[in-house]
Amino acid sequence: MSTPDLLCTEAEDDLRAAVRSLLTDHCPPAAVLSRAESGRAYDGALWRALGADMGAAGLLVPDKLGGQGGTAREAAVVLEELGRAVAPVPYLTSAVLAAGALLGCDTGQDAVARLLGALAEGRTVGALAVPLSTAPGAPGAPGAPGAPAATVRADGDGALSGQVSGVAGAAGADVLLVPAAGADGYGLYAVETAETSVSVEPLTSLDLTRPLAAVTLTGAPARRLAGDDRAGAAIGRALLTGAGLLASEQLGVAEWCLTETVRHTKERHQFGRPVGSFQALKHRMATLWLELVQARATARYAADALATDSPDTPVAVAVAQAHCAQVAVHAAEECVQLHGGIGMTWEHPAHLYLKRAKSDEIALGTPGRHRQTLAGLVDLAAPTG
């Protein structure tokens, strides 16, 4: 087994610089705040620039299928920068979760290949129709590995009926990938959101930059992309990849919060000196920095394990999510508190990072859920009494 490489390559550094430059120009905090108040699902112009023009939407898709032929390491770089900007784009939901589910299907099928190519080019936005809180299952679990229970039924004529709530990326998506069960067993289906039999009702979300929606299907026409033999594994792998890469987004959130807090405490003066020079605040920021270093290592390890298809991938993902989720929340809370009164206002972007951190903490499994998974993977018995 190869040794994990936690350092960024030159190509990854170049990708980071390009994405950060794009976000600096098109996604400043004031623009994110304005977008959050607009009620629109995501920034279409920014998504076209990032997903289509820069090619980020197809990073996980092989060249022969219309993508960029990258790996989870490159996708992790993009997500880290998106986390630093709390960018309102459907990268995690479309380019990672939806594309990942399709990659687990038979890409030799014309329907799968065409849809995957459209997602990779950024001209179609997809969403995996499972609640955002759905955690990847542990290998060897009963039934299809990682497959969430279907709340949608498939009729004999290929129509789907049912509801899925708490779906991230459904608002603004062109196509939904829906797990459903019927007479033919468990399967993964593609449904166009333009159909009149498809209702996507926005929900009140804590994180306005990644809105949730309730999807209701009433006899919606659908294409079956994978049957019982592959659908569960495809969805399970997509959720595992999403959870592993979400750690990089959480890292980006924490990085911005610490950087902004240090900058503010250097400039804010009290009693004739910068407040950042007070020992109590130094200790709090030093603690954050140590947590951030550890988070960076776990997030990079998860991305590298996914990229190399390491047998340790489930362990790496569970460790990364259990740690990075809490680091992001802690960093965001400290950012709000150490900014004082201004940190409590709507005009300052600190609340956007706290909301993204809290939303990410329960996305694709809570830290407690991932610790439970980790305990099972390494045969560590839960404490009793």
Side-chain angles (χ1 to χ4, degrees), residues 23-192:
L23 295 175
T24 299
D25 292 341
H26 294 83
C27 194
V32 178
L33 280 167
S34 176
R35 173 69 56 176
E37 295 175 310
S38 71
R40 286 173 285 180
Y42 60 87
D43 188 333
L46 176 60
W47 176 239
R48 284 190 296 274
L50 176 70
D53 299 343
M54 191 174 287
L59 275 177
L60 295 178
V61 181
D63 296 340
K64 63 181 181 180
L65 295 173
Q68 304 300 317
T71 69
R73 289 176 60 99
E74 290 79 23
V77 169
V78 174
L79 275 165
E80 188 178 333
E81 292 305 311
L82 294 177
R84 288 177 64 97
V86 285
V89 293
Y91 188 82
L92 177 69
T93 53
S94 183
V96 176
L97 291 175
L102 287 173
L103 286 168
C105 301
D106 181 5
T107 55
Q109 289 186 42
D110 184 59
V112 174
R114 281 190 290 107
L115 181 52
L116 191 56
L119 293 183
E121 292 174 8
R123 52 188 171 88
T124 296
V125 175
L128 181 60
V130 300
L132 183 60
S133 58
T134 305
T151 58
V152 174
R153 70 178 185 276
D155 299 329
D157 57 357
L160 302 185
S161 297
Q163 185 180 66
V164 187
S165 190
V167 180
D174 303 302
V175 62
L176 300 173
L177 303 181
V178 185
D184 295 331
Y186 193 87
L188 183 65
Y189 297 79
V191 177
E192 304 289 338

Side-chain angles (χ1 to χ4, degrees), residues 22 35 40 116 219 262-263 294 297 303 331 365 371:
L22 174 69
R35 173 69 56 176
R40 286 173 285 180
L116 191 56
V262 170
R263 183 202 62 76
Q294 295 167 343
R371 283 193 290 270

Side-chain angles (χ1 to χ4, degrees), residues 40 50-51 58 69 77-78 104 163 216 227-228 266-267 283 293 305 331 348:
R40 286 173 285 180
L50 176 70
V77 169
V78 174
Q163 185 180 66
T216 302
D228 205 6
K266 282 182 177 179
E267 296 177 357
H283 285 172
V293 170
H348 194 279

Side-chain angles (χ1 to χ4, degrees), residues 344-385:
M344 304 292 179
T345 66
W346 180 267
E347 289 74 18
H348 194 279
H351 67 93
L352 293 174
Y353 289 84
L354 179 57
K355 291 169 182 174
R356 174 64 69 88
K358 291 296 290 183
S359 175
D360 281 358
E361 187 181 28
I362 61 174
L364 302 175
T366 63
R369 173 68 171 79
H370 286 286
R371 283 193 290 270
Q372 184 181 30
T373 298
L374 179 62
L377 289 168
V378 298
D379 294 326
L380 180 63
T384 59

